[in-house]
Amino acid sequence: MAFADAAETWNRRFEGEDFLFGIEPNEWLREHAGTLPNGGRILCVADGEGRNSVWLARLGFTVDAFDIAEVGVAKARRLAAQHGVNVDFSVADVDAYAWPTSRFDGVAAIFIQFADPAQRERLFARIMASLKPGGILILHGYTPKQLDYGTGGPPFASHLYTPEMLRSAFETLEILVLREYEADVAEGNGHRGRSALIGMVARQP
Ligand SMILES: C[S@@+](CC[C@H](N)C(=O)[O-])C[C@H]1O[C@@H](n2cnc3c(N)ncnc32)[C@H](O)[C@@H]1O
């Protein structure tokens, strides 16, 4: 199950002046960005209003980013301009994005739980194929316990991640960190409050 019209839903959510998830990077990404090869080429999957891609560009990475919501991408472009950095943004559905093979030194997949199990399988396969040997995947999301908190994320258990599910989905990668934890999240108004989280850092062999 997913939104019938994801672009329309997310464009409406991104309409205001405020940034729904803030302009600071996601906390898991901030903590683990040191694992990304210096100055490497990084893809930010479904980066919404650009908080993660712009931050990585400010750190000196070469960054590509896409999202289905053109309103979000327009805000992301403005955020990049404000910081005087370049990000190669595009508006694309994950299933329509021109996924390259063996191109990226890193992929940031932060709160991309719009994907139902079938779409997620395709998406994870494309992410893995897009990583160069040695490339790093930084992934962050919610576990099913998040349904009790209701402080962000989709209200569908099948979209959420467990450690077993991630271990199995990414069995061809070398998992460097896999942590299920709870924290008080303050990332805009979209993700705020006590949350049941899961983060992973993994390397393409
Ligand atoms: C929870 S937000 C997270 C945004 C961003 N990753 C961040 O951490 O700020 C989920 C994002 O997925 C995007 N999205 C939803 N369905 C999508 C799809 N089929 N293809 C690409 N992006 C999609 C939405 O527009 C939204 O920006």
Side-chain angles (χ1 to χ4, degrees), residues 6 10 14 21 46-48 51-52 67-69 92-94 110-111 114:
W10 282 99
F14 290 146
F21 304 107
D47 195 43
R51 63 183 180 133
N52 299 312
D67 196 279
I68 199 169
D93 184 297
V94 275
I110 307 299
F111 293 123
F114 54 81

Side-chain angles (χ1 to χ4, degrees), residues 125-195:
R126 286 169 175 147
I127 287 174
M128 286 187 278
S130 75
L131 281 168
K132 286 180 188 167
I136 296 287
L137 168 62
I138 298 181
L139 176 137
H140 198 217
Y142 294 111
T143 66
K145 186 156 193 289
Q146 176 65 7
L147 297 178
D148 298 337
Y149 289 124
T151 51
F156 313 122
S158 62
H159 290 223
L160 305 178
Y161 307 154
T162 64
E164 299 70 35
M165 187 257 266
L166 292 181
R167 253 188 232 106
S168 157
F170 293 107
E171 66 181 359
T172 62
L173 303 190
E174 182 192 350
I175 295 182
L176 306 177
V177 185
L178 180 57
R179 181 147 56 96
E180 186 179 4
Y181 64 104
E182 296 199 8
D184 296 312
V185 172
E187 302 193 357
N189 287 324
H191 291 160
R192 181 162 290 273
R194 196 69 188 164
S195 304

